[in-house]
Amino acid sequence: MIIDYVSLIRIAFEARERSLCPYSGFAVGAAVLCKSGEVYTGCNIECGSYSATVCAERVAIFKALSEGETDFTAIAIVGGNVDDEITDYCPPCGTCRQVLSEYCDADDFEIILAKSLDEYEIYSLSQLLPLAFTFA
Ligand code: THU
């Protein structure tokens, strides 16, 4: 691991500051750590045509993939109402779980859900998305 998970969580909090969430008022930030050592951030980006909204996690992983990254170590995720202190974990939605499962290892990739820099939980994809759909 090139940067520690507390640093990755801090970066996810910074990304959350850039959330564009005028419709839900729910701001999410994510930071993906690649095995290369690079970190890619994402925030949720909402659209008035609601289904075009993209979650923070997918913004982050798509940025990484589109830059040629192929191996991933972890993602840190933070989310909550835009004007409030974060009090709950923000687990990734089903669509994001599916996307992560397509590009990240089921057991060798860590999903860090954080409320603060010192309150976080770590899960694997096999825990969050058992029996994942694969197309083979
Ligand atoms: N959201 C995320 O960014 N990630 C998730 O995993 C769940 C939901 C965003 C989408 C939308 O902008 C807002 O949170 C409320 O659903």
Side-chain angles (χ1 to χ4, degrees), residues 20-113:
L20 299 169
C21 57
Y23 302 104
S24 72
F26 192 85
V28 185
V32 171
L33 174 62
C34 305
K35 292 208 168 143
S36 66
E38 287 296 321
V39 173
Y40 294 83
T41 60
C43 60
N44 54 327
I45 301 174
E46 297 188 344
C47 183
S49 180
Y50 296 159
S51 62
T53 290
V54 189
C55 294
E57 299 90 322
R58 270 176 289 149
V59 171
I61 193 85
F62 288 160
K63 281 168 69 178
L65 288 164
S66 67
E67 292 300 322
E69 299 286 354
T70 53
D71 296 309
F72 304 101
T73 300
I75 184 170
I77 305 166
V78 296
N81 290 329
V82 69
D83 294 324
D84 298 342
E85 284 283 305
I86 287 180
T87 51
D88 294 310
Y89 293 120
C90 177
C93 76
T95 302
C96 288
R97 291 180 201 208
Q98 179 64 32
V99 170
L100 291 172
S101 82
E102 309 243 352
Y103 295 102
C104 306
D105 190 89
D107 296 301
D108 183 30
F109 176 74
E110 298 195 295
I111 298 157
I112 306 155
L113 307 181

Coordinates of all heavy atoms in Angstrom, one line a residue, residues 20-113:
L20 N -21.9 17.6 -6.8 CA -23.0 18.4 -7.5 C -24.3 17.7 -7.2 O -24.7 16.8 -7.9 CB -22.6 18.6 -9.0 CG -21.3 19.2 -9.2 CD1 -20.9 19.0 -10.7 CD2 -21.3 20.7 -8.9
C21 N -25.0 18.1 -6.1 CA -26.2 17.4 -5.7 C -27.3 18.3 -5.4 O -27.9 18.3 -4.3 CB -25.8 16.5 -4.5 SG -25.2 17.4 -3.1
P22 N -27.7 19.2 -6.4 CA -28.8 20.2 -6.1 C -30.1 19.5 -5.9 O -31.0 20.1 -5.3 CB -28.8 21.1 -7.3 CG -28.2 20.2 -8.4 CD -27.2 19.3 -7.7
Y23 N -30.3 18.3 -6.4 CA -31.6 17.7 -6.3 C -31.8 16.9 -5.0 O -32.9 17.0 -4.4 CB -31.9 16.8 -7.6 CG -31.7 17.6 -8.8 CD1 -30.6 17.6 -9.6 CD2 -32.7 18.6 -9.2 CE1 -30.4 18.4 -10.7 CE2 -32.6 19.4 -10.3 CZ -31.4 19.3 -11.0 OH -31.3 20.1 -12.1
S24 N -30.8 16.1 -4.6 CA -31.0 15.3 -3.4 C -30.4 16.0 -2.2 O -30.9 15.6 -1.1 CB -30.3 13.9 -3.6 OG -28.9 14.1 -3.6
G25 N -29.5 16.9 -2.4 CA -28.8 17.4 -1.2 C -28.0 16.4 -0.4 O -27.6 16.6 0.7
F26 N -27.7 15.3 -1.1 CA -26.9 14.2 -0.5 C -25.5 14.2 -1.2 O -25.4 13.9 -2.4 CB -27.6 12.9 -0.6 CG -27.0 11.7 0.2 CD1 -27.4 11.6 1.5 CD2 -26.1 10.8 -0.4 CE1 -26.9 10.6 2.3 CE2 -25.6 9.8 0.4 CZ -26.0 9.7 1.7
A27 N -24.5 14.5 -0.5 CA -23.1 14.6 -1.1 C -22.3 13.4 -0.8 O -22.1 13.0 0.4 CB -22.5 15.9 -0.6
V28 N -21.7 12.9 -1.9 CA -20.9 11.7 -1.7 C -19.5 11.9 -2.3 O -19.4 12.6 -3.3 CB -21.5 10.4 -2.4 CG1 -20.7 9.2 -2.1 CG2 -23.0 10.3 -1.9
G29 N -18.5 11.4 -1.7 CA -17.1 11.5 -2.2 C -16.5 10.1 -2.2 O -16.8 9.3 -1.3
A30 N -15.6 9.8 -3.2 CA -14.9 8.6 -3.2 C -13.5 8.8 -3.7 O -13.2 9.7 -4.4 CB -15.7 7.6 -4.2
A31 N -12.6 7.9 -3.3 CA -11.2 7.9 -3.7 C -10.8 6.5 -3.9 O -10.9 5.6 -3.0 CB -10.4 8.6 -2.7
V32 N -10.3 6.2 -5.2 CA -9.9 4.9 -5.5 C -8.3 4.9 -5.5 O -7.7 5.7 -6.1 CB -10.3 4.5 -7.0 CG1 -9.7 3.2 -7.4 CG2 -11.9 4.3 -7.0
L33 N -7.8 3.9 -4.8 CA -6.3 3.7 -4.8 C -6.0 2.6 -5.7 O -6.5 1.5 -5.6 CB -5.9 3.4 -3.4 CG -4.4 3.0 -3.2 CD1 -3.5 4.2 -3.6 CD2 -4.1 2.6 -1.8
C34 N -5.1 2.9 -6.7 CA -4.7 1.9 -7.7 C -3.4 1.2 -7.2 O -2.6 1.8 -6.5 CB -4.5 2.5 -9.0 SG -5.9 3.5 -9.6
K35 N -3.2 0.0 -7.7 CA -1.9 -0.7 -7.4 C -0.7 0.1 -7.9 O 0.4 0.0 -7.3 CB -1.9 -2.1 -7.9 CG -3.0 -2.9 -7.1 CD -2.7 -4.4 -7.0 CE -3.6 -5.0 -6.0 NZ -4.1 -6.4 -6.3
S36 N -0.9 0.9 -8.9 CA 0.2 1.8 -9.4 C 0.6 2.9 -8.4 O 1.6 3.5 -8.5 CB -0.3 2.5 -10.7 OG -1.4 3.4 -10.4
G37 N -0.3 3.1 -7.4 CA -0.1 4.2 -6.4 C -0.9 5.4 -6.7 O -1.0 6.3 -5.9
E38 N -1.5 5.5 -7.9 CA -2.3 6.7 -8.2 C -3.6 6.6 -7.5 O -4.1 5.5 -7.2 CB -2.6 6.7 -9.7 CG -1.4 7.1 -10.6 CD -0.9 8.5 -10.4 OE1 -1.7 9.4 -10.2 OE2 0.3 8.7 -10.4
V39 N -4.1 7.8 -7.2 CA -5.5 7.9 -6.6 C -6.4 8.7 -7.5 O -5.9 9.7 -8.0 CB -5.4 8.6 -5.2 CG1 -6.8 8.8 -4.6 CG2 -4.5 7.8 -4.2
Y40 N -7.6 8.2 -7.7 CA -8.6 8.9 -8.5 C -9.8 9.2 -7.7 O -10.2 8.3 -7.0 CB -9.0 8.1 -9.8 CG -7.8 7.9 -10.7 CD1 -6.9 6.9 -10.5 CD2 -7.7 8.7 -11.8 CE1 -5.8 6.7 -11.4 CE2 -6.6 8.5 -12.7 CZ -5.7 7.5 -12.5 OH -4.6 7.4 -13.4
T41 N -10.3 10.4 -7.8 CA -11.4 10.8 -6.9 C -12.7 10.9 -7.7 O -12.7 11.0 -9.0 CB -11.2 12.2 -6.3 OG1 -11.0 13.1 -7.4 CG2 -9.9 12.2 -5.4
G42 N -13.8 10.8 -7.0 CA -15.1 11.0 -7.6 C -16.0 11.7 -6.7 O -15.9 11.5 -5.4
C43 N -17.0 12.4 -7.2 CA -18.1 12.9 -6.4 C -19.4 12.6 -7.2 O -19.3 12.3 -8.4 CB -18.0 14.4 -6.1 SG -18.0 15.4 -7.6
N44 N -20.5 12.6 -6.5 CA -21.8 12.4 -7.3 C -22.1 13.6 -8.1 O -21.9 14.7 -7.6 CB -22.9 11.9 -6.4 CG -23.2 12.9 -5.2 OD1 -22.3 13.5 -4.7 ND2 -24.4 13.0 -4.8
I45 N -22.6 13.4 -9.3 CA -22.9 14.4 -10.2 C -24.3 14.2 -10.6 O -24.6 13.2 -11.3 CB -21.9 14.4 -11.4 CG1 -20.5 14.6 -10.9 CG2 -22.3 15.5 -12.4 CD1 -19.4 14.5 -12.0
E46 N -25.2 15.1 -10.2 CA -26.6 15.0 -10.5 C -27.1 15.7 -11.7 O -26.4 16.7 -12.1 CB -27.4 15.4 -9.2 CG -27.1 14.5 -8.0 CD -28.0 14.8 -6.8 OE1 -28.7 15.8 -6.8 OE2 -28.0 13.9 -5.9
C47 N -28.2 15.3 -12.3 CA -28.7 15.8 -13.5 C -30.2 16.0 -13.3 O -30.9 15.1 -12.7 CB -28.4 14.9 -14.6 SG -28.9 15.5 -16.2
G48 N -30.8 17.0 -13.9 CA -32.2 17.3 -13.8 C -33.0 16.1 -14.5 O -34.2 15.9 -14.1
S49 N -32.4 15.5 -15.4 CA -33.0 14.2 -15.9 C -32.4 13.1 -15.0 O -31.3 12.7 -15.3 CB -32.6 14.0 -17.4 OG -33.1 12.9 -17.9
Y50 N -33.1 12.8 -14.0 CA -32.5 12.2 -12.8 C -31.7 10.9 -13.1 O -30.6 10.6 -12.5 CB -33.5 11.8 -11.8 CG -34.2 13.0 -11.1 CD1 -35.5 12.8 -10.5 CD2 -33.7 14.3 -11.2 CE1 -36.1 13.9 -10.0 CE2 -34.3 15.3 -10.6 CZ -35.6 15.2 -10.0 OH -36.2 16.2 -9.4
S51 N -32.1 10.1 -14.1 CA -31.4 8.9 -14.4 C -30.0 9.1 -14.9 O -29.2 8.1 -14.9 CB -32.2 8.0 -15.3 OG -32.4 8.6 -16.5
A52 N -29.7 10.3 -15.3 CA -28.4 10.6 -15.8 C -27.4 10.9 -14.7 O -26.2 11.0 -14.9 CB -28.4 11.8 -16.8
T53 N -27.9 11.0 -13.5 CA -27.0 11.2 -12.3 C -26.0 10.0 -12.2 O -26.3 8.9 -12.5 CB -27.9 11.2 -11.0 OG1 -28.6 12.4 -11.1 CG2 -27.0 11.1 -9.8
V54 N -24.8 10.4 -11.8 CA -23.7 9.3 -11.6 C -23.2 9.4 -10.2 O -22.9 10.5 -9.7 CB -22.6 9.5 -12.6 CG1 -21.6 8.3 -12.5 CG2 -23.1 9.6 -14.0
C55 N -23.1 8.2 -9.6 CA -22.6 8.1 -8.2 C -21.1 8.4 -8.2 O -20.3 8.2 -9.1 CB -22.8 6.7 -7.7 SG -24.5 6.2 -7.5
A56 N -20.7 8.8 -7.0 CA -19.3 9.2 -6.7 C -18.3 8.0 -7.0 O -17.3 8.2 -7.6 CB -19.1 9.6 -5.3
E57 N -18.7 6.8 -6.6 CA -17.9 5.6 -6.8 C -17.6 5.4 -8.3 O -16.5 5.0 -8.7 CB -18.5 4.4 -6.2 CG -18.8 4.5 -4.7 CD -20.2 5.1 -4.4 OE1 -20.6 6.0 -5.1 OE2 -20.8 4.6 -3.4
R58 N -18.7 5.5 -9.1 CA -18.5 5.2 -10.5 C -17.7 6.3 -11.2 O -16.9 6.0 -12.1 CB -19.9 5.0 -11.2 CG -20.3 3.5 -11.2 CD -21.6 3.3 -11.8 NE -22.7 3.8 -10.9 CZ -23.8 4.4 -11.3 NH1 -24.1 4.4 -12.6 NH2 -24.7 4.8 -10.5
V59 N -17.9 7.5 -10.8 CA -17.0 8.6 -11.3 C -15.6 8.3 -11.1 O -14.7 8.3 -12.0 CB -17.4 10.0 -10.8 CG1 -16.4 11.0 -11.2 CG2 -18.8 10.4 -11.2
A60 N -15.3 7.9 -9.9 CA -13.9 7.6 -9.5 C -13.3 6.4 -10.3 O -12.2 6.5 -10.8 CB -13.8 7.3 -8.0
I61 N -14.0 5.3 -10.3 CA -13.5 4.1 -11.0 C -13.4 4.3 -12.5 O -12.5 3.9 -13.2 CB -14.3 2.8 -10.6 CG1 -13.5 1.6 -11.0 CG2 -15.7 2.8 -11.1 CD1 -12.5 1.1 -10.1
F62 N -14.4 5.0 -13.0 CA -14.4 5.3 -14.5 C -13.2 6.2 -14.8 O -12.6 6.1 -15.9 CB -15.7 5.9 -15.0 CG -16.9 4.9 -15.0 CD1 -18.2 5.4 -15.0 CD2 -16.6 3.5 -15.0 CE1 -19.2 4.5 -15.0 CE2 -17.7 2.6 -15.1 CZ -19.0 3.1 -15.1
K63 N -12.9 7.2 -14.0 CA -11.8 8.0 -14.2 C -10.5 7.2 -14.3 O -9.6 7.3 -15.1 CB -11.7 9.1 -13.2 CG -12.6 10.3 -13.4 CD -12.7 11.2 -12.2 CE -11.5 12.0 -11.9 NZ -11.7 12.9 -10.7
A64 N -10.4 6.3 -13.3 CA -9.2 5.4 -13.2 C -9.1 4.5 -14.4 O -8.0 4.4 -15.1 CB -9.2 4.6 -11.9
L65 N -10.2 3.9 -14.8 CA -10.2 3.0 -15.9 C -9.9 3.7 -17.2 O -9.1 3.2 -18.1 CB -11.6 2.3 -16.0 CG -11.9 1.2 -15.0 CD1 -13.4 0.9 -15.0 CD2 -11.0 -0.1 -15.2
S66 N -10.4 4.9 -17.3 CA -10.2 5.6 -18.6 C -8.8 6.2 -18.7 O -8.4 6.6 -19.8 CB -11.2 6.8 -18.7 OG -11.0 7.7 -17.7
E67 N -8.1 6.2 -17.6 CA -6.6 6.6 -17.7 C -5.7 5.3 -17.8 O -4.5 5.5 -17.7 CB -6.3 7.4 -16.4 CG -6.9 8.7 -16.3 CD -6.6 9.6 -17.5 OE1 -5.4 9.6 -18.0 OE2 -7.4 10.4 -18.0
G68 N -6.4 4.2 -18.0 CA -5.6 3.0 -18.2 C -5.2 2.1 -17.0 O -4.5 1.2 -17.1
E69 N -5.8 2.5 -15.9 CA -5.5 1.7 -14.6 C -6.3 0.4 -14.8 O -7.4 0.4 -15.2 CB -6.0 2.5 -13.4 CG -5.3 3.8 -13.2 CD -3.8 3.7 -12.7 OE1 -3.4 2.5 -12.4 OE2 -3.2 4.7 -12.6
T70 N -5.6 -0.7 -14.3 CA -6.3 -2.0 -14.4 C -6.4 -2.7 -13.0 O -7.1 -3.6 -12.9 CB -5.6 -2.9 -15.4 OG1 -4.2 -2.9 -15.1 CG2 -5.8 -2.4 -16.8
D71 N -5.5 -2.3 -12.1 CA -5.4 -3.0 -10.8 C -5.7 -2.1 -9.7 O -5.1 -1.0 -9.6 CB -4.0 -3.6 -10.7 CG -3.8 -4.7 -11.8 OD1 -4.6 -5.6 -11.9 OD2 -2.8 -4.6 -12.4
F72 N -6.6 -2.5 -8.8 CA -7.1 -1.6 -7.8 C -6.9 -2.2 -6.4 O -7.1 -3.4 -6.2 CB -8.6 -1.3 -8.0 CG -8.8 -0.7 -9.4 CD1 -9.3 -1.5 -10.5 CD2 -8.4 0.6 -9.7 CE1 -9.4 -1.0 -11.8 CE2 -8.6 1.2 -11.0 CZ -9.1 0.4 -12.0
T73 N -6.6 -1.3 -5.4 CA -6.3 -1.8 -4.1 C -7.6 -1.5 -3.2 O -7.9 -2.4 -2.4 CB -5.1 -1.0 -3.5 OG1 -4.0 -1.3 -4.3 CG2 -4.8 -1.4 -2.0
A74 N -8.1 -0.3 -3.3 CA -9.2 0.0 -2.3 C -10.0 1.2 -2.9 O -9.5 2.0 -3.7 CB -8.6 0.4 -1.0
I75 N -11.2 1.4 -2.3 CA -11.9 2.6 -2.5 C -12.4 3.1 -1.1 O -12.9 2.3 -0.3 CB -13.1 2.4 -3.5 CG1 -13.8 3.7 -3.8 CG2 -14.1 1.3 -3.0 CD1 -14.8 3.6 -5.0
A76 N -12.3 4.4 -0.9 CA -12.9 5.0 0.3 C -14.1 5.8 -0.1 O -14.1 6.5 -1.1 CB -11.9 5.9 1.0
I77 N -15.2 5.7 0.7 CA -16.4 6.3 0.4 C -17.0 7.0 1.6 O -17.0 6.4 2.7 CB -17.5 5.2 -0.1 CG1 -16.9 4.4 -1.2 CG2 -18.8 5.9 -0.5 CD1 -17.7 3.1 -1.5
V78 N -17.4 8.3 1.4 CA -18.0 9.0 2.5 C -19.3 9.7 1.9 O -19.3 10.2 0.7 CB -17.1 10.1 3.1 CG1 -15.9 9.4 3.8 CG2 -16.6 11.1 2.1
G79 N -20.3 9.8 2.7 CA -21.5 10.5 2.1 C -22.5 10.8 3.2 O -22.5 10.2 4.3
G80 N -23.3 11.9 2.9 CA -24.3 12.3 3.9 C -24.9 13.6 3.4 O -24.5 14.1 2.4
N81 N -25.9 14.1 4.1 CA -26.6 15.3 3.7 C -25.6 16.4 3.6 O -24.7 16.6 4.5 CB -27.7 15.7 4.7 CG -28.9 14.7 4.5 OD1 -29.1 14.2 3.4 ND2 -29.6 14.4 5.6
V82 N -25.7 17.3 2.6 CA -24.6 18.2 2.2 C -24.2 19.1 3.3 O -23.0 19.4 3.5 CB -25.0 18.9 0.9 CG1 -26.1 19.9 1.1 CG2 -23.8 19.6 0.3
D83 N -25.2 19.6 4.1 CA -24.9 20.6 5.2 C -24.6 20.0 6.5 O -24.4 20.7 7.5 CB -26.0 21.6 5.3 CG -26.1 22.4 4.0 OD1 -25.1 22.7 3.4 OD2 -27.3 22.7 3.6
D84 N -24.7 18.7 6.7 CA -24.6 18.0 8.0 C -23.3 17.4 8.2 O -22.6 17.0 7.2 CB -25.7 17.0 8.2 CG -27.1 17.6 8.1 OD1 -27.2 18.8 8.2 OD2 -28.1 16.8 7.8
E85 N -22.9 17.1 9.4 CA -21.8 16.3 9.8 C -22.2 14.9 9.3 O -23.4 14.5 9.4 CB -21.6 16.2 11.3 CG -21.0 17.5 11.9 CD -19.5 17.5 11.6 OE1 -18.8 16.5 12.0 OE2 -19.0 18.4 11.0
I86 N -21.2 14.1 8.9 CA -21.5 12.7 8.5 C -21.7 11.9 9.8 O -20.8 11.8 10.7 CB -20.4 12.2 7.6 CG1 -20.6 12.8 6.2 CG2 -20.5 10.6 7.5 CD1 -19.6 12.4 5.2
T87 N -22.8 11.2 9.9 CA -23.1 10.4 11.1 C -23.3 8.9 10.7 O -23.3 8.0 11.6 CB -24.4 10.8 11.8 OG1 -25.4 10.9 10.8 CG2 -24.2 12.2 12.4
D88 N -23.4 8.6 9.4 CA -23.7 7.2 9.0 C -22.7 6.8 7.9 O -22.2 7.7 7.2 CB -25.1 7.0 8.5 CG -26.1 7.2 9.5 OD1 -26.0 6.6 10.6 OD2 -27.1 8.0 9.3
Y89 N -22.5 5.5 7.8 CA -21.8 5.0 6.6 C -22.6 5.2 5.4 O -23.8 5.2 5.4 CB -21.4 3.6 6.8 CG -20.4 3.4 8.0 CD1 -20.7 2.6 9.1 CD2 -19.1 4.0 7.9 CE1 -19.8 2.5 10.1 CE2 -18.2 3.9 9.0 CZ -18.6 3.1 10.1 OH -17.7 3.0 11.1
C90 N -21.9 5.2 4.2 CA -22.6 5.4 2.9 C -22.2 4.2 2.1 O -21.3 4.3 1.2 CB -22.3 6.7 2.3 SG -23.0 6.9 0.7
P91 N -22.8 3.0 2.2 CA -22.4 1.9 1.4 C -22.8 2.1 0.0 O -23.7 2.8 -0.3 CB -23.2 0.7 2.0 CG -23.8 1.2 3.3 CD -23.9 2.7 3.1
P92 N -22.0 1.6 -1.0 CA -22.2 1.8 -2.4 C -23.6 1.2 -2.8 O -24.0 0.1 -2.3 CB -21.1 1.1 -3.1 CG -20.5 0.2 -2.1 CD -20.8 0.7 -0.8
C93 N -24.2 1.8 -3.8 CA -25.5 1.3 -4.3 C -25.3 0.0 -5.1 O -24.1 -0.3 -5.4 CB -26.2 2.4 -5.1 SG -25.5 2.5 -6.8
G94 N -26.3 -0.7 -5.4 CA -26.2 -1.9 -6.2 C -25.5 -1.8 -7.5 O -24.7 -2.6 -7.9
T95 N -25.8 -0.7 -8.2 CA -25.2 -0.5 -9.5 C -23.7 -0.3 -9.4 O -22.9 -0.9 -10.1 CB -25.8 0.7 -10.2 OG1 -27.2 0.5 -10.3 CG2 -25.2 1.0 -11.6
C96 N -23.3 0.5 -8.4 CA -21.8 0.7 -8.1 C -21.2 -0.6 -7.7 O -20.0 -0.9 -8.1 CB -21.6 1.7 -7.1 SG -22.0 3.4 -7.7
R97 N -21.9 -1.4 -6.9 CA -21.3 -2.7 -6.5 C -21.0 -3.6 -7.7 O -20.0 -4.3 -7.9 CB -22.2 -3.5 -5.5 CG -22.3 -2.8 -4.2 CD -23.2 -3.5 -3.2 NE -23.6 -2.5 -2.2 CZ -24.0 -2.8 -1.0 NH1 -24.0 -4.1 -0.5 NH2 -24.3 -1.9 -0.1
Q98 N -22.0 -3.6 -8.7 CA -21.8 -4.4 -9.9 C -20.6 -3.9 -10.7 O -19.8 -4.7 -11.1 CB -23.1 -4.3 -10.7 CG -23.0 -5.1 -12.0 CD -22.9 -6.6 -11.8 OE1 -23.4 -7.2 -10.8 NE2 -22.2 -7.3 -12.7
V99 N -20.5 -2.6 -10.9 CA -19.4 -2.0 -11.6 C -18.1 -2.4 -11.0 O -17.2 -2.8 -11.6 CB -19.6 -0.5 -11.8 CG1 -18.3 0.1 -12.4 CG2 -20.8 -0.2 -12.7
L100 N -18.0 -2.2 -9.7 CA -16.8 -2.5 -9.0 C -16.4 -4.0 -9.1 O -15.3 -4.4 -9.3 CB -16.9 -2.2 -7.5 CG -16.9 -0.7 -7.2 CD1 -17.3 -0.4 -5.7 CD2 -15.6 0.1 -7.5
S101 N -17.5 -4.8 -9.1 CA -17.2 -6.3 -9.2 C -16.7 -6.7 -10.6 O -16.0 -7.7 -10.7 CB -18.5 -7.1 -8.9 OG -19.3 -7.2 -10.0
E102 N -17.0 -5.9 -11.6 CA -16.5 -6.2 -12.9 C -15.0 -5.9 -13.1 O -14.3 -6.4 -13.9 CB -17.3 -5.4 -14.0 CG -18.8 -5.6 -13.8 CD -19.4 -6.2 -15.0 OE1 -18.8 -6.5 -16.0 OE2 -20.6 -6.5 -14.8
Y103 N -14.5 -4.9 -12.3 CA -13.2 -4.4 -12.5 C -12.2 -4.6 -11.3 O -11.0 -4.3 -11.4 CB -13.2 -2.9 -12.9 CG -13.9 -2.8 -14.3 CD1 -15.2 -2.3 -14.3 CD2 -13.2 -3.1 -15.4 CE1 -15.9 -2.2 -15.6 CE2 -13.9 -3.0 -16.7 CZ -15.2 -2.6 -16.7 OH -15.8 -2.5 -17.9
C104 N -12.8 -5.0 -10.2 CA -11.9 -5.2 -9.0 C -12.1 -6.6 -8.5 O -13.1 -7.2 -8.7 CB -12.4 -4.2 -7.9 SG -12.4 -2.5 -8.5
D105 N -11.0 -7.0 -7.8 CA -11.0 -8.4 -7.3 C -12.0 -8.6 -6.2 O -12.1 -7.7 -5.3 CB -9.6 -8.7 -6.8 CG -9.5 -10.2 -6.6 OD1 -9.1 -11.0 -7.5 OD2 -9.7 -10.6 -5.4
A106 N -12.7 -9.7 -6.2 CA -13.7 -10.0 -5.2 C -13.2 -10.0 -3.7 O -13.9 -9.6 -2.8 CB -14.4 -11.3 -5.5
D107 N -11.9 -10.5 -3.6 CA -11.4 -10.6 -2.2 C -10.2 -9.7 -2.0 O -9.9 -9.4 -0.9 CB -11.0 -12.1 -2.0 CG -12.3 -12.9 -2.0 OD1 -13.2 -12.7 -1.2 OD2 -12.4 -13.9 -2.9
D108 N -9.5 -9.4 -3.1 CA -8.3 -8.6 -2.9 C -8.5 -7.1 -3.3 O -7.8 -6.5 -4.1 CB -7.1 -9.2 -3.8 CG -5.8 -8.4 -3.6 OD1 -5.6 -7.9 -2.5 OD2 -5.1 -8.4 -4.6
F109 N -9.6 -6.6 -2.8 CA -9.9 -5.1 -3.0 C -10.8 -4.7 -1.8 O -11.7 -5.4 -1.4 CB -10.8 -5.0 -4.3 CG -11.2 -3.6 -4.6 CD1 -10.4 -2.6 -5.0 CD2 -12.6 -3.2 -4.4 CE1 -10.8 -1.3 -5.2 CE2 -13.0 -1.9 -4.6 CZ -12.2 -1.0 -5.0
E110 N -10.4 -3.6 -1.2 CA -11.1 -3.2 0.0 C -12.0 -2.0 -0.1 O -11.6 -1.0 -0.8 CB -10.0 -3.0 1.1 CG -9.3 -4.3 1.3 CD -8.4 -4.4 2.6 OE1 -7.5 -3.6 2.7 OE2 -8.8 -5.2 3.5
I111 N -13.2 -2.1 0.4 CA -14.1 -1.0 0.3 C -14.2 -0.4 1.7 O -14.6 -1.1 2.7 CB -15.5 -1.5 -0.1 CG1 -15.3 -2.1 -1.5 CG2 -16.6 -0.4 -0.1 CD1 -16.4 -3.1 -1.9
I112 N -13.7 0.8 1.8 CA -13.6 1.5 3.1 C -14.8 2.5 3.3 O -14.9 3.5 2.5 CB -12.3 2.3 3.2 CG1 -11.1 1.3 2.9 CG2 -12.1 2.9 4.6 CD1 -9.9 2.1 2.3
L113 N -15.6 2.2 4.2 CA -16.8 3.1 4.5 C -16.4 3.9 5.7 O -16.1 3.3 6.7 CB -18.0 2.3 4.8 CG -18.4 1.2 3.7 CD1 -19.7 0.5 4.1 CD2 -18.6 1.9 2.3

